[in-house]
Amino acid sequence: MTEAQAQKKIQALIDDLDYHNELYYQKDSPEISDYEFDQRLEKLIALENEFPQFKYPHSPSQRVGGTITKNFETVKHKHPMLSLGNTYSKEELIDWDNRVKKGLGTDQLAYFCELKFDGVALSLWYQNGELVRAVTRGDGTQGDDITANARTIRSIPLKIKQQVPEMFEVRGEAFFPKHEFERVNLERKEEGKDLLANPRNAASGTLKMQDSSLVAHRKLDCYLYNLIEEGHPQSTCHSQSIGLLEKWGFHVSSTYRKCRNIDEVLDYIQEWEIKRHDLPSDTDGVVIKVDDLNQQNELGFTAKSPRWAIAYKYQAESATTRLETVTFQVGRTGSVTPVANLSPVLIAGTTVKRASLHNANEIERLDLHEGDMVFVEKGGEIIPKITGVDETARAQNSKKIEYITHCPECSSELIRQEGEANHYCLNAEGCPPQILGRIEHFIQRKAMDIDSLGSETIRGLLQRNKIQHFSDLYQLTFEDLNGLSFESFSEKKGEVSIRSLREKSAKNIIDAIETSKLVPFERVLFALGIRYVGQTVAEKLARHFKSIDALAKANFENLIAVDEIGDRIAESVLAFFAETQNQEAISMLRKAGVQFLISEEEGVTGTTLEGKSFVISGVFEQFSRDELKDTIKAHGGKVVSSISTKLDYLLAGDDMGPAKKEKALKLEITIISERDFIQMIAD
Ligand code: IVH
């Protein structure tokens, strides 16, 4: 590739990624999957590494982080970042409305309502349209310069495409989206790390991390709600500023509303009390602002907060209820989690019946007794938690909750290793939820992506002895699945029914199993379900050792020499490869054609298709056309556009053009289907 071609390609990729970023964050209507986005981003990074002269500061690749900040510089805010007056009562809000009208000497005014996002306030500075500085609120007069970390937040524009003032400040709230928070905690649980307490604190902690690549991994988001224009402002009211922010590509939450009077404000408050729980960010109230900027100036500030705005806070979302029983759940790694079963109670619009108790320490910390009245809170997490016990309401002779000594599923004795918070059932091969859990883990999207299978069918396959382990999946035939009938238990109805698998599902499952043979090694490694080897650790190990054989041969020293791999992970990897069962499973997967080698840096996974040329025509079930192109290239083949005598294969999907088919037949070109193709690369 020439320099000029590279520059053009880099610019095209940047524009493409910016476009999809905007669809995702601003329009909330993504056209491509996260996976596809990451693939394109990797392409860009590879090109930029080859042609570093075209690595622009505003490139989306700059969001993956990598900067280490040892000490965050303290920066004074140009305009202080004030707090807001609070109220929990509608009467006080009406009083405030009266004070505003009195202060202005008129009732001709409009309010602008926004939700109060529960995150970390940020001040962002743009010079000539480029993000030059991001500072935390700090004490309101000065904060920390966290620019390197803020640059990893995909919804914060690094460069604004529209005509904008030479210099301006925007303010908003960085937050940990609820689903990302859950994802990170799940990953941490898999890796045996302590869980993050709640999204707000986690967002604040994340922005103060020294390594910005770790920040990037957490996928924070940021809503902007304030534009401070210097010199000659373009807007005369707050609603216009918000319009400008949207136009310039900032992520503005679309939940705002302009209200003509306090009654409309009260309607807004009521409307969002329940609905706000469906938003990606935690919210704890509504911020009401006088819309007109001149009127804002006229009202001014008290020592601490503006007179032109107020926060209405929703009541804290907790409740008291009775602890009925404590039950114990066994996970795929054999870890046992205690669960509190509660008398149903309504919190934040949903009925809560269960709360996780995490481990024995938590039961001890709460000093839980049978039948206790407990305080339950629905915090940032979707799963509610018990925050305390009302000891005054405890019956005199109530018994302390004891941790179980044996597995509730298979009766093996439970083990708790020194320094570990969790109890484990070690009967990995004989304990039903562990067997099922490992297969569920293996097939999930982030792993082998055979999720058309579903838990229900896995249960059926286990029940009918078609499989015992995930490595058996590759021996399944269409006949094994088609019409397979099994008993299924519906928790909702509380009854058992007979289900049978249709032809179409059977075909989909077989196809998905076949396609999973292309899943890259790092995801296969994650799929194996080695304790403490979550997605990130699997990627690190795969990149370092490059093959399953090298990893299996590694000793303790080799393992801990890898960045971020500690004693506990190393021991767990060693224990995994020492088990004959696991060795056998790996050997079966290898025979089936599962990837146990890392793909090369350029994305070439193999040479199966070396020297072969393909024409792609029609639509396909498993692959998009881009994916097909990439896969062919990754296997050493090439894609051409027209059919000639030199062509090796015509890859034919549904609705292929008849002219193409005719030409291929005439020139005696081999025509292959999508399934033939998958078979070809799997071989
Ligand atoms: S406007 C003069 N709008 O609440 C203060 N603040 O208590 C103007 N916050 O530090 C702030 N959502 O961190 C405003 N829609 C919103 C907000 C919001 C959350 C936070 C912000 C601020 C704190 C003030």
Side-chain angles (χ1 to χ4, degrees):
M1 193 179 301
T2 66
E3 266 209 354
Q5 283 170 328
Q7 186 175 21
K8 215 168 142 198
K9 179 93 198 148
I10 286 175
Q11 192 54 54
L13 276 166
I14 292 179
D15 290 343
D16 177 60
L17 289 165
D18 282 348
Y19 167 74
H20 288 292
N21 212 24
E22 190 182 325
L23 284 182
Y24 186 95
Y25 283 105
Q26 276 206 287
K27 312 237 157 77
D28 203 13
S29 61
E31 283 172 4
I32 59 173
S33 66
D34 289 1
Y35 180 70
E36 179 65 34
F37 187 93
D38 291 343
Q39 294 273 302
R40 295 185 193 180
L41 184 60
E42 268 172 36
K43 240 183 235 166
L44 174 64
I45 294 171
L47 263 177
E48 286 177 342
N49 285 341
E50 205 179 320
F51 296 91
Q53 63 272 41
F54 305 129
K55 201 181 260 184
Y56 305 112
H58 60 268
S59 163
S61 67
Q62 298 306 298
R63 296 193 189 277
V64 297
T67 316
I68 307 287
T69 316
K70 282 270 176 265
N71 287 307
F72 295 101
E73 196 192 329
T74 308
V75 180
K76 199 166 175 313
H77 296 298
K78 182 159 183 193
H79 313 278
M81 289 180 81
L82 299 174
S83 56
L84 285 169
N86 276 338
T87 174
Y88 287 90
S89 98
K90 303 209 164 126
E91 290 70 37
E92 280 182 19
L93 189 60
I94 293 167
D95 291 346
W96 173 78
D97 170 52
N98 287 328
R99 281 200 304 278
V100 167
K101 287 178 191 154
K102 199 166 159 210
L104 293 172
T106 173
D107 50 11
Q108 291 298 303
L109 82 157
Y111 289 120
F112 197 82
C113 291
E114 290 161 12
L115 286 169
K116 190 167 191 301
F117 308 107
D118 201 10
V120 182
L122 286 187
S123 147
L124 309 175
W125 278 91
Y126 285 80
Q127 189 172 17
N128 300 323
E130 295 204 26
L131 173 70
V132 287
R133 180 171 264 179
V135 187
T136 60
R137 176 173 185 269
D139 63 3
T141 53
Q142 54 182 35
D144 292 327
D145 182 333
I146 47 117
T147 314
N149 288 343
R151 291 173 66 88
T152 69
I153 300 179
R154 267 171 62 181
S155 58
I156 296 183
L158 299 178
K159 188 181 166 106
I160 294 163
K161 295 210 168 75
Q162 286 81 358
Q163 188 67 33
V164 289
E166 191 185 328
M167 191 86 169
F168 64 90
E169 182 185 0
V170 282
R171 290 179 178 177
E173 204 83 358
F175 63 94
F176 216 134
K178 290 177 199 164
H179 59 277
E180 292 298 340
F181 180 79
E182 296 281 313
R183 174 185 67 82
V184 169
N185 258 351
L186 207 75
E187 206 173 287
R188 291 178 73 86
K189 192 167 177 203
E190 259 159 18
E191 290 170 6
K193 294 181 182 158
D194 285 338
L195 298 190
L196 305 173
N198 63 60
R200 206 208 78 82
N201 290 355
S204 157
T206 303
L207 286 170
K208 293 290 192 55
M209 282 163 92
Q210 295 188 337
D211 180 352
S212 62
S213 58
L214 298 176
V215 183
H217 178 71
R218 295 207 173 162
K219 301 199 171 153
L220 299 187
D221 196 346
C222 184
Y223 283 142
L224 283 307
Y225 47 67
N226 195 7
L227 167 66
I228 306 175
E229 296 183 81
E230 310 272 306
H232 305 285
Q234 296 184 35
S235 13
T236 57
C237 51
H238 181 65
S239 42
Q240 280 174 0
S241 307
I242 291 291
L244 281 179
L245 288 180
E246 287 176 326
K247 193 171 116 198
W248 294 345
F250 288 97
H251 194 193
V252 175
S253 166
S254 55
T255 49
Y256 59 72
R257 184 181 303 157
K258 191 167 162 174
C259 296
R260 281 168 301 187
N261 50 49
I262 200 71
D263 287 334
E264 288 188 4
V265 170
L266 291 169
D267 288 346
Y268 177 89
I269 289 175
Q270 193 173 354
E271 190 178 318
W272 282 100
E273 175 147 19
I274 302 293
K275 257 178 31 186
R276 70 200 170 103
H277 297 293
D278 301 330
L279 297 171
S281 154
D282 276 330
T283 51
D284 58 356
V286 170
V287 182
I288 304 113
K289 304 173 181 176
V290 169
D291 193 39
D292 188 296
L293 298 181
N294 282 329
Q295 289 184 331
Q296 285 190 4
N297 274 337
E298 225 177 304
L299 289 162
F301 299 84
T302 68
K304 284 187 301 189
S305 49
R307 290 197 189 88
W308 46 263
I310 193 166
Y312 175 88
K313 295 268 203 100
Y314 291 113
Q315 287 297 331
E317 296 159 275
S318 64
T320 312
T321 189
R322 188 171 301 283
L323 172 70
E324 299 202 322
T325 55
V326 174
T327 48
F328 296 84
Q329 285 175 354
V330 185
R332 79 176 157 87
T333 59
S335 72
V336 177
T337 310
V339 178
N341 300 293
L342 309 164
S343 294
V345 61
L346 197 70
I347 309 177
T350 51
T351 306
V352 173
K353 290 188 213 146
R354 269 192 278 248
S356 168
L357 287 165
H358 305 294
N359 51 47
N361 293 345
E362 183 69 1
I363 296 183
E364 208 45 51
R365 186 184 74 81
L366 291 164
D367 184 30
L368 274 188
H369 282 56
E370 284 174 2
D372 266 350
M373 290 305 289
V374 292
F375 305 120
V376 188
E377 243 179 50
K378 231 183 131 189
E381 302 97 303
I382 290 157
I383 306 158
K385 61 172 172 247
I386 296 182
T387 53
V389 172
D390 181 359
E391 278 168 30
T392 60
R394 180 174 288 162
Q396 250 183 4
N397 45 11
S398 76
K399 277 204 306 208
K400 222 173 129 68
I401 301 282
E402 297 282 351
Y403 210 86
I404 47 170
T405 54
H406 289 76
C407 176
E409 302 281 346
C410 73
S411 308
S412 313
E413 197 179 341
L414 297 182
I415 305 293
R416 183 189 194 179
Q417 253 157 7
E418 231 186 85
E420 287 251 4
N422 281 343
H423 282 73
Y424 283 94
C425 163
L426 300 185
N427 181 19
E429 304 307 325
C431 181
Q434 293 189 55
I435 298 171
L436 177 70
R438 275 196 302 270
I439 305 177
E440 283 174 333
H441 174 79
F442 185 81
I443 63 157
Q444 67 177 303
R445 227 151 224 237
K446 302 185 284 187
M448 302 306 277
D449 195 11
I450 321 180
D451 63 354
S452 51
L453 195 49
S455 301
E456 200 59 12
T457 313
I458 303 174
R459 279 205 186 88
L461 287 166
L462 286 166
Q463 208 183 86
R464 303 291 305 272
N465 264 329
K466 297 281 181 198
I467 58 171
Q468 268 92 40
H469 188 266
F470 54 71
S471 54
D472 300 327
L473 290 173
Y474 294 87
Q475 258 61 55
L476 286 176
T477 60
F478 174 75
E479 288 69 32
D480 283 331
L481 292 165
N482 189 18
L484 178 87
S485 64
F486 52 89
E487 286 178 1
S488 138
F489 177 72
S490 152
E491 207 166 313
K492 223 173 177 180
K493 292 190 198 143
E495 60 185 36
V496 175
S497 61
I498 303 288
R499 276 198 47 190
S500 85
L501 214 59
R502 286 167 210 248
E503 190 181 327
K504 176 88 179 128
S505 315
K507 184 177 169 298
N508 284 346
I509 294 168
I510 292 289
D511 285 350
I513 292 175
E514 205 49 48
T515 313
S516 77
K517 295 178 184 172
L518 303 178
V519 164
F521 173 47
E522 52 271 34
R523 275 169 56 197
V524 175
L525 187 56
F526 167 63
L528 294 178
I530 307 172
R531 190 184 294 171
Y532 306 138
V533 179
Q535 252 179 310
T536 321
V537 171
E539 270 167 32
K540 289 219 156 82
L541 290 172
R543 252 182 248 142
H544 184 91
F545 290 101
K546 303 208 167 17
S547 73
I548 195 96
D549 296 326
L551 177 63
K553 282 198 200 95
N555 61 25
F556 185 77
E557 277 69 35
N558 305 146
L559 285 163
I560 56 168
V562 184
D563 191 26
E564 280 190 60
I565 306 297
D567 294 9
R568 206 168 37 158
I569 300 178
E571 271 159 19
S572 162
V573 171
L574 289 175
F576 179 86
F577 286 104
E579 285 277 344
T580 0
Q581 285 264 1
N582 295 332
Q583 293 164 6
E584 280 166 13
I586 290 171
S587 142
M588 275 178 71
L589 293 173
R590 190 197 303 269
K591 273 197 206 122
V594 168
Q595 306 288 327
F596 280 133
L597 271 178
I598 190 111
S599 51
E600 291 302 319
E601 245 76 79
E602 311 77 81
V604 177
T605 27
T607 50
T608 358
L609 306 179
E610 196 160 290
K612 301 284 183 229
S613 57
F614 290 79
V615 162
I616 306 172
S617 181
V619 284
F620 300 86
E621 264 177 42
Q622 308 272 333
F623 291 94
S624 71
R625 287 170 78 99
D626 279 345
E627 282 166 350
L628 274 177
K629 281 186 195 161
D630 288 347
T631 313
I632 292 172
K633 280 190 234 151
H635 286 264
K638 71 175 181 209
V639 179
V640 294
S641 55
S642 63
I643 298 175
S644 72
T645 46
K646 282 190 243 138
L647 181 69
D648 293 298
Y649 299 104
L650 170 63
L651 178 46
D654 289 340
D655 299 328
M656 179 179 62
K660 273 215 170 98
K661 187 170 177 186
E662 202 176 303
K663 189 160 180 197
L665 286 173
K666 206 164 120 204
L667 299 180
E668 290 182 29
I669 306 289
T670 315
I671 302 181
I672 57 168
S673 70
E674 187 176 16
R675 278 188 79 173
D676 299 331
F677 174 73
I678 293 170
Q679 192 61 50
M680 241 163 127
I681 35 185
D683 288 345

